[in-house]
Amino acid sequence: MLELFLSQILNGVVIGFVYALIALGFSLVFGVANIINFAQGALLMLGAFLTFTMVRLGAPIAVAIPLAIAITTATGMLIERLALRPLQNAPYIAPLLSTLAIAIIFDAAAEMIWTAEIQSFPSPLSKYVVFVGSAYLTGVDFLIIAVSLSVMAGLMLFLSRSWMGKALRATAQDPEAATQMGINVPLMRQFSFGLAGALGALAGVLIGMYYMSVFPQMGIPYGLKGFAAALLGGLSSIPGAIVGGILLGIFESLASGYVGEGWRDVIAFSVLLLVLIVRPHGLFGNKSLDALGGASGATGGIPTTSVVASMAGATGRTKQRLIEAPLLVLLGVIALFALLPALGGSNYLLQVGTQAAIYAVLAVSLTLLTGSAGIISIGHAAFFGVGAYAAALAGRNWGIPAEAAFLLAGVAAAVFAAVLYWPTIRLSGHTVGLATLAIGQIVYLVCLNWVDVTRGPMGIPGVQRPSLLLGGIDMKSLAAQYWQALVVLAIAVTIAFAMLNSPIGRTWRAIREDRLAARASGVPVSRYLTLVFLVSGFLAGLAGAQFAFLQNFVSPESFMIDTSIVLISMIVLGGLGNITGALVGGVLLALLPEVLREFAQYRMLAYGAILLLLLRFRPQGLAGTR
Amino acid sequence: MKRRMNWLGRAGLALVAAGLLQGLAAPAPALAQSQDSVTFGFFAPLTGRFGANGERFKEAVNLFVEQTNAAGGIGGKPLVVLTEDDRGEPMQATAIAQKFSENPAVVAAIGSFTSGNSIAAGEIFAAAGVPQVSPSSSHPDYTKISKYQFRIPNTQDTMSLKYVSALKDNAPHKRVAIIYFQDDWGIFVGNATKAALEKDGSEVPVFEAMLPDARDFRPLVTKLRQANVDSILLASHYGPSATFLQQLRQAGLEQTVVGPETLYNPELITLAGDAANGVITTTYFFPGDPTKVAFVDAYKAKYGRDPDLWAAYAYDAIAIATAGAKALADAGKPVTRDALRDAIADLPAYDGVTGVTKFVNGTPAKDLTILKIKDGAYTLLQ
C-alpha cells in the first residue's frame, strides 16, 4: 500500500514539473506587468507546433527547438507591443481580456494551419525507462526535471544579480519610481512577455515530448493547470510556481489513484480553492502591495482596488460619456422586439432571438457582480448551468408550472452563487478572477461526473416546456418561448435597474472603487457582497431555466469556461456596470456568431479580432463604464 | 449626461439592431430556394475539439456530392448540400436546425457528430418534419425523439455486447479493466460492458473514466499494475488512447487491449507507434476490405489518404438519404420532407461502406469486422 502511495506521489511530481514550467511564465508576467496572461497557453501551443513543423520539414530537433523558442519569444514581445501597451490607460480588466482575445485568435489560426487533429511529436528520449516501485520514469521526465530546475535557478540568479533582472523587479514593485530612476518600463514589460514566451515555448516542447503528441487545442487545458499552479504558489513568486506545480501534480495523482481518474480535476481545483480560502495569497505570495490597492495603487494614481480603474490609476469613468437609457426606454425596446413574431419573424430568427435574450439576462446578471461590485467572475456559466439543471430536473420529476420552475432555478442558482463565491470575498484583484475560474471549472466537472443526478455527459433530453400557472397558457411554441424570454429579460432589467440606482448600487460601486474605504466608512462589505452574489446568481438561474426550456436538452458542454469568457466579453464590450451596455454587448455578441456563420471557419478568428480592436479603441465599452 | 441617452445614441442602437436583424434575415441563396435541385443540410463540428472528426465527415459528404452529380444527380436534378459548423456546442446545433428547418428547399439533414448535438437538433427537426440521418450518434435516446431520426451505427447497447464478445474471443478475461471516455458514448459503453462482463462471471477491478482533456495517465497505469488485470477494455477516442497506450507500454504492462471502433483509425498507429501493436478493435469499415475498393480509391484520389471510419459513416449517411430521394424520383414523386422520411424508412437493405443498413425504428443492426494491429498496420482478425 505504501508502495502504491509513493508511486502515485512520484507520478504527481513528474507531471507537476510540467505544470511548474507553465506556471513560471504566468508568474513572470504577473510579477512584472501585473497582468494575468491568458495567452500563455497559446504561446505554449505555438512553441510546440513550430518545433513540430520544423522537424517535419526536415530540421534536426536540436535546431528546431531553439528556433521555435526564439520565434515564440518574439511573438510574446509583439503581443505586448500590439495588444497590451496601448491599453495602459484602459480599465484594469481590459488587458486580461486582450490576452484572452489573442488566445482565441491563436487557437483558431492554429486549427486552420495545422488542422484540428492530434499530431505525433518527436521524442527521442522517451525510450529510456527506469522503474521505481509501481511507477516509472522516462528520459523525458529527467529532461523536464533538469530543465525546470535550471530555468528556475537561472531565473532567480538573473532576477537577483543582473542589472536587467533588478530593473525587472523594480518595475514590478513600483513602475513610477522605476521610470524616475531611468528604467525603461515599457521595455521591461515587453521583455517580461518575451521571457514568458520563451518559457511557454519550452514548456510546450517538453509537453509535446512527454505525451509524444501535440494538438491545437492544447493551450487551454495546460494553461488552466499552469494558472492553478501559479495561484497555488502565490502568483508572483518564482519558487512558488515550482512548488505550486508539484503540489498540484501530486494532488491530481493521488485523486486519480484513490478517488477515480474522472475526479482528478475536480479535486485539484477544490484544493486550490481551499488554499485560497485559508491563504488567499498562495503559499509563497506576499501581500505587501495590497494595502495600497495592489500594484496599480502604487503607480501614483489614486489608491484603488477598482477593476474599472486603469493601471495608471485613472478611473475610466472620468473622461467618458455614459450612454445609459432610462428604464422605460429599455422596457420599450424589449416590447418592440416582442412584435417580431407578429411581423412574420421566422423560426430561425426566433430561436436566435431567444438565445440573444438569454445572453442579455446573463450579461445583466454579470454586470451587477463584475461591473458594479467589482468581483471579476470568470465562472459565471456555473450558475447559468445550475439554473438550467434545476429547471430541467424539476420539469422532469415534478412537472411544475413555468413560474415555479423559474423561481426554483433562480433560487437554486442564487444559493449556489452565495455559497461558492463566499471564499472570494477575502480575495482581491485578479486573484478573484482565477478563483472564480476554478469554481466555474469545478461546477462544470461535477455536472460531467455526477452521473446519478445530472446524467453526466449524456445530458437531460426531452425537457418539456411547462405551461404558465397564470391562466394555464400553453408555452410550447417557439414564439411563446421567445416572449417568455423577453419577459424574463424585462424582469431582470427591472430588478437590476432598481438595485443599481438605489443606495445598494451606490454601495456596491463604493466597494468596487475602494473596499478599504468603504469598510472604514462603516459599510458591511461582506453582507453587500453576499447580496450581489444572491441577486446575480438568481438572474443567471432565470437565464438557465429559459435555456433549458428553449433547448429541450441540457448537457454540461453548454456551461464550459468558454461560455463564461463570452459573458465577460459581453459586459466589457457594453461597458461595465451599465445595464444598457450589458444589453447591447449581450445581444451583439450573441448575434455575432450567427451573422458570421457564412464564414464558418474564420468565425472564431473574426470574433477574437473584433474583441481585440474594441478593447484597443474603446476600452470603456460601447456605452461607457458606470 | 448621465442616465440619459440622446436621440443620436438611440437611433444608433436602433440602426445597429436593425442591421443585425437584416443580416440574419438575409434569404438563403437563390439556388437553394429553387426546386431544380435536391438540397440537404449537413452540420458537424468542423472546428473545435471534434474538428478532426467533422472534417472527415465533410470530406466524405463532398466526395459523395461530386460523384452523385457527375453521375447525373437525383432524377436529373443536382444534389446540393448546405454545410454548417456546430463546433460541438448544442446552442449552435439548435440554431442551425432552425435555419435548415425553415429553408423550404432543405428536405433532409445529415448530422451531427456527437449524440448531444444530434439530440438537441433532433427535437427541432422532429417538430419541423425534417428527416435527420446522423452518421455517428449511437445514443439510445436519439432515435426515440421521433420517427424522423435515423442513424448509421447500431445503438450502444447492441454494440457493447459485441465489444465484450470480441474481448472474450481474443483475450484472457478473468479480471478485466474497463477504461472509458467521459462522454455520453463512453459512459454508456463503460457501464454496459461492465454489466455484460460481470454477468458472465468476469471481475472488473478497475473501472475508470478518462476526462476529455486528460493526457497524463500514469496514476491510472500505476493502478492497473497493482490491480493485476488480464486484459483491458478501452472505450475511448483514438487521440487520448494513443497517449494511454504509450504510457501503458512504457510501464511494461503487456495486457491485451480491446477497444471499439473509435480505436480503428490509422492515426492511432502514427501517434502511438509500437505501443499500438496487439490492439484489437472492432469496426464497421476497413479500407483493406476488397468489397469497398471503389470508395477507398475515390477518397484516396481526392484527399491523398485512406478514408477512416468517420468518413465511411458520413458517406453512408448521405448515400442513404440520397437513395431515399432517388427512390422517390424514380417513382415520379416529388421529393418532400415527409415523402423522403418514408422513403428512407422503407429503403430495402442498403449495402454501403459500413455494412448493410436496414432501419428498424431508425436504427440498423449491423455486423462488425474485428481487426488487430500487427507490425504497425490493421489486419483482419475475423
Side-chain angles (χ1 to χ4, degrees), chain A residues 22-97:
Chain A
I22 312 170
L24 275 179
F26 282 121
S27 297
L28 207 67
V29 167
F30 186 80
V32 175
N34 201 23
I35 286 170
I36 297 231
N37 182 13
F38 270 107
Q40 188 69 23
L43 290 172
L44 175 151
M45 180 270 297
L46 185 67
F49 267 90
L50 285 173
T51 311
F52 162 79
T53 307
M54 283 187 267
V55 169
R56 179 154 286 194
L57 292 176
I61 193 160
V63 178
I65 293 175
L67 212 58
I69 292 178
I71 298 175
T72 315
T73 307
T75 312
M77 294 171 86
L78 206 65
I79 289 178
E80 193 279 340
R81 183 69 194 84
L82 295 179
L84 292 160
R85 199 177 299 178
L87 299 181
Q88 292 267 311
N89 286 313
Y92 189 56
I93 199 175
L96 185 89
L97 289 168

Side-chain angles (χ1 to χ4, degrees), chain A residues 320-520:
Chain A
Q320 66 167 8
R321 291 194 39 170
L322 190 68
I323 303 172
E324 206 177 19
L327 182 59
L328 283 178
V329 171
L330 291 178
L331 293 179
V333 171
I334 294 173
L336 274 181
F337 272 102
L339 297 177
L340 186 64
L343 297 174
S346 65
N347 277 345
Y348 169 61
L349 266 187
L350 292 185
Q351 180 91 18
V352 174
T354 314
Q355 290 175 358
I358 291 170
Y359 273 118
V361 175
L362 287 169
V364 168
S365 142
L366 186 60
T367 213
L368 290 180
L369 183 57
T370 300
S372 292
I375 304 283
I376 302 180
S377 170
I378 317 184
H380 217 63
F383 313 123
F384 178 39
V386 168
Y389 272 103
L393 287 172
R396 208 182 155 87
N397 297 335
W398 308 320
I400 53 178
E403 293 95 333
F406 274 108
L407 196 65
L408 181 85
V411 170
V415 171
F416 264 79
V419 172
L420 288 176
Y421 273 12
W422 176 80
T424 63
I425 289 182
R426 288 185 52 199
L427 305 177
S428 64
H430 283 178
T431 340
V432 180
L434 285 182
T436 53
L437 185 84
I439 292 166
Q441 200 66 9
I442 292 172
V443 172
Y444 160 66
L445 288 170
V446 169
C447 288
L448 193 68
N449 278 298
W450 196 10
V451 179
D452 295 343
V453 171
T454 64
R455 285 175 42 98
M458 291 171 283
I460 301 174
V463 177
Q464 295 302 311
R465 294 171 177 169
S467 307
L468 287 176
L469 187 63
L470 189 77
I473 304 166
D474 183 77
M475 301 301 284
K476 291 243 174 340
S477 75
L478 187 58
Q481 288 297 313
Y482 175 72
W483 283 319
Q484 182 175 289
L486 287 182
V487 171
V488 170
L489 178 61
I491 293 171
V493 167
T494 311
I495 293 177
F497 206 90
M499 299 209 97
L500 284 189
N501 290 305
S502 73
I504 297 174
R506 206 172 307 126
T507 313
W508 282 339
R509 286 191 290 276
I511 293 172
R512 171 189 78 189
E513 289 307 312
D514 195 332
R515 205 181 281 188
L516 217 55
R519 169 114 227 166

Side-chain angles (χ1 to χ4, degrees), chain B residues 151-200:
Chain B
R151 62 169 131 221
I152 300 305
N154 299 346
T155 53
Q156 291 154 0
D157 27 10
T158 333
M159 291 301 288
S160 299
L161 298 178
K162 299 203 183 248
Y163 306 145
V164 168
S165 66
L167 179 110
K168 289 166 89 176
D169 293 347
N170 298 295
H173 50 271
K174 259 182 99 172
R175 289 167 67 78
V176 183
I178 297 178
I179 295 162
Y180 59 94
F181 192 79
Q182 186 78 332
D183 63 6
D184 50 347
W185 167 81
I187 291 186
F188 193 94
V189 171
N191 284 315
T193 49
K194 182 167 186 265
L197 278 168
E198 285 175 344
K199 195 172 135 238
D200 296 349

Side-chain angles (χ1 to χ4, degrees), chain B residues 5 9 24 196 229 335:
Chain B
M5 196 159 93
L24 286 171
V229 293
V335 182

Side-chain angles (χ1 to χ4, degrees), chain A residues 11 141 261 346 348 351 449, chain B residues 98 102 182 208-209 218 222:
Chain A
N11 285 330
D141 303 347
E261 175 70 20
S346 65
Y348 169 61
Q351 180 91 18
N449 278 298
Chain B
Q98 290 289 9
E102 69 185 32
Q182 186 78 332
E208 294 279 350
R218 289 192 194 185
T222 299

Side-chain angles (χ1 to χ4, degrees), chain B residues 56 75 90 100 139 160 178 243 250 265 300 352 377:
Chain B
R56 296 296 89 78
F100 285 157
H139 193 302
S160 299
I178 297 178
T243 310
Q250 268 178 347
N265 190 321
K300 216 168 172 178

Side-chain angles (χ1 to χ4, degrees), chain A residues 225 248 251-271 441-454 456, chain B residues 180 182 187 207-212 214 220 223:
Chain A
K225 291 290 167 61
L248 188 70
F251 289 142
E252 272 190 31
S253 183
L254 290 178
S256 165
Y258 291 99
V259 185
E261 175 70 20
W263 292 94
R264 65 186 280 168
D265 285 11
V266 178
I267 293 187
F269 286 118
S270 305
V271 167
Q441 200 66 9
I442 292 172
V443 172
Y444 160 66
L445 288 170
V446 169
C447 288
L448 193 68
N449 278 298
W450 196 10
V451 179
D452 295 343
V453 171
T454 64
Chain B
Y180 59 94
Q182 186 78 332
I187 291 186
F207 183 69
E208 294 279 350
M210 231 179 218
L211 278 194
L220 184 56
K223 216 173 187 176

